PDB file of all heavy atoms in Angstrom:
ATOM      1  N   VAL B 271      88.139  95.208 129.985  1.00 96.00           N
ATOM      2  CA  VAL B 271      86.904  94.978 129.229  1.00 96.00           C
ATOM      3  C   VAL B 271      87.243  94.428 127.836  1.00 96.00           C
ATOM      4  O   VAL B 271      86.627  93.482 127.352  1.00 96.00           O
ATOM      5  CB  VAL B 271      86.081  96.285 129.121  1.00 96.00           C
ATOM      6  CG1 VAL B 271      84.906  96.103 128.173  1.00 96.00           C
ATOM      7  CG2 VAL B 271      85.603  96.716 130.499  1.00 96.00           C
ATOM      8  N   ILE B 272      88.262  94.998 127.214  1.00 96.00           N
ATOM      9  CA  ILE B 272      88.676  94.521 125.890  1.00 96.00           C
ATOM     10  C   ILE B 272      89.134  93.070 125.989  1.00 96.00           C
ATOM     11  O   ILE B 272      88.709  92.214 125.202  1.00 96.00           O
ATOM     12  CB  ILE B 272      89.806  95.410 125.342  1.00 96.00           C
ATOM     13  CG1 ILE B 272      89.265  96.806 125.024  1.00 96.00           C
ATOM     14  CG2 ILE B 272      90.420  94.779 124.092  1.00 96.00           C
ATOM     15  CD1 ILE B 272      90.316  97.815 124.632  1.00 96.00           C
ATOM     16  N   GLU B 273      89.958  92.786 126.972  1.00 96.00           N
ATOM     17  CA  GLU B 273      90.493  91.430 127.090  1.00 96.00           C
ATOM     18  C   GLU B 273      89.382  90.429 127.393  1.00 96.00           C
ATOM     19  O   GLU B 273      89.395  89.303 126.898  1.00 96.00           O
ATOM     20  CB  GLU B 273      91.604  91.404 128.154  1.00 96.00           C
ATOM     21  CG  GLU B 273      92.880  91.996 127.591  1.00 96.00           C
ATOM     22  CD  GLU B 273      93.880  92.481 128.632  1.00 96.00           C
ATOM     23  OE1 GLU B 273      93.683  92.202 129.825  1.00 96.00           O
ATOM     24  OE2 GLU B 273      94.856  93.151 128.224  1.00 96.00           O
ATOM     25  N   ASP B 274      88.403  90.867 128.155  1.00 95.00           N
ATOM     26  CA  ASP B 274      87.285  90.007 128.493  1.00 95.00           C
ATOM     27  C   ASP B 274      86.397  89.762 127.269  1.00 95.00           C
ATOM     28  O   ASP B 274      86.073  88.630 126.933  1.00 95.00           O
ATOM     29  CB  ASP B 274      86.483  90.693 129.619  1.00 95.00           C
ATOM     30  CG  ASP B 274      85.424  89.785 130.162  1.00 95.00           C
ATOM     31  OD1 ASP B 274      85.738  88.602 130.349  1.00 95.00           O
ATOM     32  OD2 ASP B 274      84.287  90.252 130.375  1.00 95.00           O
ATOM     33  N   ARG B 275      86.029  90.809 126.567  1.00 96.00           N
ATOM     34  CA  ARG B 275      85.105  90.664 125.438  1.00 96.00           C
ATOM     35  C   ARG B 275      85.705  89.901 124.267  1.00 96.00           C
ATOM     36  O   ARG B 275      85.023  89.166 123.571  1.00 96.00           O
ATOM     37  CB  ARG B 275      84.665  92.038 124.941  1.00 96.00           C
ATOM     38  CG  ARG B 275      83.715  92.711 125.895  1.00 96.00           C
ATOM     39  CD  ARG B 275      83.193  94.002 125.315  1.00 96.00           C
ATOM     40  NE  ARG B 275      82.414  94.710 126.332  1.00 96.00           N
ATOM     41  CZ  ARG B 275      81.915  95.917 126.161  1.00 96.00           C
ATOM     42  NH1 ARG B 275      82.112  96.552 125.014  1.00 96.00           N
ATOM     43  NH2 ARG B 275      81.226  96.493 127.104  1.00 96.00           N
ATOM     44  N   PHE B 276      86.981  90.117 124.025  1.00 95.00           N
ATOM     45  CA  PHE B 276      87.613  89.463 122.882  1.00 95.00           C
ATOM     46  C   PHE B 276      88.289  88.155 123.299  1.00 95.00           C
ATOM     47  O   PHE B 276      88.807  87.441 122.458  1.00 95.00           O
ATOM     48  CB  PHE B 276      88.646  90.389 122.230  1.00 95.00           C
ATOM     49  CG  PHE B 276      88.043  91.520 121.435  1.00 95.00           C
ATOM     50  CD1 PHE B 276      87.619  92.669 122.076  1.00 95.00           C
ATOM     51  CD2 PHE B 276      87.899  91.430 120.049  1.00 95.00           C
ATOM     52  CE1 PHE B 276      87.064  93.725 121.352  1.00 95.00           C
ATOM     53  CE2 PHE B 276      87.349  92.477 119.323  1.00 95.00           C
ATOM     54  CZ  PHE B 276      86.927  93.632 119.976  1.00 95.00           C
ATOM     55  N   GLY B 277      88.284  87.863 124.617  1.00 93.00           N
ATOM     56  CA  GLY B 277      88.903  86.638 125.093  1.00 93.00           C
ATOM     57  C   GLY B 277      90.410  86.642 124.917  1.00 93.00           C
ATOM     58  O   GLY B 277      90.996  85.694 124.405  1.00 93.00           O
ATOM     59  N   LEU B 278      91.047  87.719 125.305  1.00 94.00           N
ATOM     60  CA  LEU B 278      92.489  87.866 125.090  1.00 94.00           C
ATOM     61  C   LEU B 278      93.221  87.936 126.422  1.00 94.00           C
ATOM     62  O   LEU B 278      92.667  88.410 127.412  1.00 94.00           O
ATOM     63  CB  LEU B 278      92.773  89.156 124.316  1.00 94.00           C
ATOM     64  CG  LEU B 278      92.136  89.293 122.937  1.00 94.00           C
ATOM     65  CD1 LEU B 278      92.216  90.738 122.470  1.00 94.00           C
ATOM     66  CD2 LEU B 278      92.802  88.362 121.939  1.00 94.00           C
ATOM     67  N   ALA B 279      94.461  87.480 126.411  1.00 93.00           N
ATOM     68  CA  ALA B 279      95.297  87.668 127.595  1.00 93.00           C
ATOM     69  C   ALA B 279      96.001  89.018 127.472  1.00 93.00           C
ATOM     70  O   ALA B 279      95.954  89.658 126.424  1.00 93.00           O
ATOM     71  CB  ALA B 279      96.321  86.551 127.690  1.00 93.00           C
ATOM     72  N   ASP B 280      96.651  89.417 128.544  1.00 93.00           N
ATOM     73  CA  ASP B 280      97.367  90.691 128.581  1.00 93.00           C
ATOM     74  C   ASP B 280      98.352  90.781 127.414  1.00 93.00           C
ATOM     75  O   ASP B 280      99.155  89.875 127.209  1.00 93.00           O
ATOM     76  CB  ASP B 280      98.122  90.779 129.919  1.00 93.00           C
ATOM     77  CG  ASP B 280      98.811  92.115 130.073  1.00 93.00           C
ATOM     78  OD1 ASP B 280      98.358  93.091 129.437  1.00 93.00           O
ATOM     79  OD2 ASP B 280      99.790  92.188 130.824  1.00 93.00           O
ATOM     80  N   GLY B 281      98.258  91.836 126.653  1.00 92.00           N
ATOM     81  CA  GLY B 281      99.209  92.029 125.553  1.00 92.00           C
ATOM     82  C   GLY B 281      98.813  91.358 124.251  1.00 92.00           C
ATOM     83  O   GLY B 281      99.387  91.628 123.203  1.00 92.00           O
ATOM     84  N   GLU B 282      97.827  90.442 124.316  1.00 95.00           N
ATOM     85  CA  GLU B 282      97.375  89.777 123.089  1.00 95.00           C
ATOM     86  C   GLU B 282      96.324  90.617 122.380  1.00 95.00           C
ATOM     87  O   GLU B 282      95.553  91.320 123.010  1.00 95.00           O
ATOM     88  CB  GLU B 282      96.753  88.420 123.431  1.00 95.00           C
ATOM     89  CG  GLU B 282      97.756  87.392 123.881  1.00 95.00           C
ATOM     90  CD  GLU B 282      97.097  86.043 124.141  1.00 95.00           C
ATOM     91  OE1 GLU B 282      95.846  85.969 124.151  1.00 95.00           O
ATOM     92  OE2 GLU B 282      97.845  85.087 124.338  1.00 95.00           O
ATOM     93  N   GLY B 283      96.277  90.491 121.054  1.00 95.00           N
ATOM     94  CA  GLY B 283      95.329  91.293 120.300  1.00 95.00           C
ATOM     95  C   GLY B 283      94.570  90.490 119.270  1.00 95.00           C
ATOM     96  O   GLY B 283      94.954  89.383 118.902  1.00 95.00           O
ATOM     97  N   ALA B 284      93.464  91.075 118.803  1.00 95.00           N
ATOM     98  CA  ALA B 284      92.642  90.427 117.786  1.00 95.00           C
ATOM     99  C   ALA B 284      92.564  91.297 116.544  1.00 95.00           C
ATOM    100  O   ALA B 284      92.547  92.515 116.638  1.00 95.00           O
ATOM    101  CB  ALA B 284      91.242  90.181 118.333  1.00 95.00           C
ATOM    102  N   ALA B 285      92.543  90.622 115.386  1.00 93.00           N
ATOM    103  CA  ALA B 285      92.329  91.311 114.114  1.00 93.00           C
ATOM    104  C   ALA B 285      91.131  90.643 113.473  1.00 93.00           C
ATOM    105  O   ALA B 285      91.150  89.437 113.222  1.00 93.00           O
ATOM    106  CB  ALA B 285      93.560  91.186 113.226  1.00 93.00           C
ATOM    107  N   GLN B 286      90.061  91.389 113.250  1.00 93.00           N
ATOM    108  CA  GLN B 286      88.809  90.783 112.798  1.00 93.00           C
ATOM    109  C   GLN B 286      88.290  91.491 111.556  1.00 93.00           C
ATOM    110  O   GLN B 286      88.133  92.700 111.552  1.00 93.00           O
ATOM    111  CB  GLN B 286      87.776  90.826 113.938  1.00 93.00           C
ATOM    112  CG  GLN B 286      88.414  90.484 115.280  1.00 93.00           C
ATOM    113  CD  GLN B 286      87.447  89.975 116.340  1.00 93.00           C
ATOM    114  OE1 GLN B 286      87.841  89.199 117.184  1.00 93.00           O
ATOM    115  NE2 GLN B 286      86.196  90.389 116.294  1.00 93.00           N
TER     116      GLN B 286
END
Side-chain angles (χ1 to χ4, degrees):
Chain B
V271 172
I272 292 173
E273 283 159 10
D274 188 43
R275 288 186 187 175
F276 286 82
L278 300 166
D280 184 24
E282 289 183 350
Q286 319 203 150

